[in-house]
Amino acid sequence: MIDAGAGPGSLLRSVLAAGPACAAALRPVAVDRAAGQRARHPDTVVSASELPPGPLVGVILANELLDNVPCRLFQRATDDWVEVLVDLGADGTLVETTGPADPETTERCGALAPAASPGDRIPLQDRAVAWLADALSRLDHGRVVVVDYGTTTPALAGRPQQEWLRTYRDHRRGSGPLDRPGTQDITVELAVDQLHQVRVPDEHRDQARFLRAHGLDDLVAEGRRVWAERAHLGDLEALRARSRVSEAEALVDETGLGAFQVLEWRR
Ligand SMILES: C[S@@+](CC[C@H](N)C(=O)[O-])C[C@H]1O[C@@H](n2cnc3c(N)ncnc32)[C@H](O)[C@@H]1O
């Protein structure tokens, strides 16, 4: 199992701590391009800066990776599209500017968001698309699973950019994306229709449905039973059971994490 864009490796840590029935067959690999994150990977996993070379057998999981991959921004002008670029302002700070898009890109933008009005913006997420194509090409047998804030290009065109291109600093919303580069994360909601250029996913559902299809309700029922039996003891087992129930509620909350999109491509 490969966790791509693993950050500090929390997901694999939790998978291993859960002691799944398939544990003996798992060869967990945490991939992150940031050395600071790799330094925090647990010793029980292989830590790497890039996806291992293929052919691979297994699952490549990308949880909140593709929203983090750089994209280009385009804005609908009266007759065509222009690219949103960054320049140096007179006072040395970064400022936004626009430049012409080449005819091929203009055509692509028009095809992705045909109803866009002047001033509407869209991201072109070619690097996310390239990551998916690369991940799939390394698989001999298995699947690529992408979990992210997913939407579509026409939906993004219909919303203001500051809603879907967000910044975070210390787990709180940050300021403008050009402020103090390198001090905040920049994230862009994933246009899943652009990933279809590689291949339409074999499965596409929200996180709540994905987790339920993989047995979340049974795990919650077991948690409730253990909590009911052991609440009066208040021991570690009882507390673990209670947090399983509350964490599951957060993960399937359709107004929050439950609305995340899960896309799966099989090979
Ligand atoms: C938003 S974090 C997600 C971390 C983790 N998956 C989670 O859900 O908590 C994205 C991570 O992807 C890493 N990253 C970004 N681009 C990457 C790439 N092309 N290959 C590997 N890691 C990448 C970043 O360094 C960062 O740690």
Side-chain angles (χ1 to χ4, degrees):
M1 179 186 174
I2 298 168
D3 185 4
S10 317
L11 180 74
L12 286 179
R13 218 180 246 110
S14 302
V15 168
L16 296 174
C22 61
L26 276 183
R27 189 172 163 273
V29 181
V31 178
D32 204 289
R33 70 186 324 170
Q37 300 290 2
R38 291 200 301 280
R40 299 162 70 191
H41 290 167
D43 295 338
T44 44
V45 310
V46 174
S47 176
S49 59
E50 285 183 20
L51 290 176
L56 302 167
V57 176
V59 176
I60 301 176
L61 177 74
N63 184 51
E64 287 192 61
L65 165 66
L66 296 185
D67 64 280
N68 216 228
V69 171
C71 64
R72 294 164 73 194
L73 284 180
F74 290 86
Q75 180 171 311
R76 183 85 174 100
T78 316
D79 297 319
D80 54 7
W81 289 79
V82 291
E83 182 158 13
V84 180
L85 301 163
V86 178
D87 202 356
L88 263 189
D91 60 356
T93 56
L94 298 179
V95 292
E96 208 183 85
T97 181
T98 55
D102 62 65
E104 190 217 337
T105 310
T106 295
E107 200 179 313
R108 282 177 64 207
C109 292
L112 285 165
S117 310
D120 289 351
R121 288 187 173 187
I122 59 167
L124 272 195
Q125 297 177 318
D126 291 346
R127 283 169 73 171
V129 171
W131 179 89
L132 174 64
D134 177 50
L136 270 169
S137 76
R138 289 174 197 240
L139 272 186
D140 176 63
H141 189 83
R143 63 183 66 189
V144 175
V145 182
V146 166
V147 185
D148 229 310
Y149 322 85
T151 180
T152 62
T153 314
L156 291 171
R159 292 163 55 203
Q161 176 197 293
Q162 62 271 26
E163 261 185 43
W164 47 262
L165 188 159
R166 296 184 291 270
T167 62
Y168 291 90
R169 186 183 281 123
D170 300 328
H171 302 290
R172 295 215 185 106
R173 283 294 284 271
S175 49
L178 302 186
D179 294 345
R180 295 197 281 147
T183 65
Q184 51 185 1
D185 272 345
I186 301 180
T187 158
V188 175
E189 290 181 25
L190 190 60
V192 298
D193 55 320
Q194 296 187 31
L195 298 180
H196 289 191
Q197 290 167 43
V198 179
R199 218 177 83 197
V200 175
D202 297 292
E203 289 273 5
H204 179 185
R205 47 197 159 178
D206 64 29
Q207 175 165 285
R209 281 179 186 79
F210 171 83
L211 291 173
R212 290 200 166 106
H214 288 282
L216 186 77
D217 291 338
D218 291 344
L219 289 169
V220 171
E222 191 196 358
R224 282 193 210 287
R225 181 183 57 73
V226 172
W227 172 244
E229 283 170 12
R230 305 188 72 89
H232 67 287
L233 297 173
D235 62 0
L236 198 57
E237 209 180 323
L239 296 176
R240 265 206 210 107
R242 191 180 59 175
S243 31
R244 180 190 285 184
V245 174
S246 54
E247 280 166 17
E249 275 165 8
L251 287 171
V252 298
D253 175 2
E254 310 246 339
T255 62
L257 292 175
F260 265 41
Q261 303 292 299
V262 183
L263 299 107
E264 296 176 70
W265 289 264
R266 293 192 206 104
R267 191 167 186 115

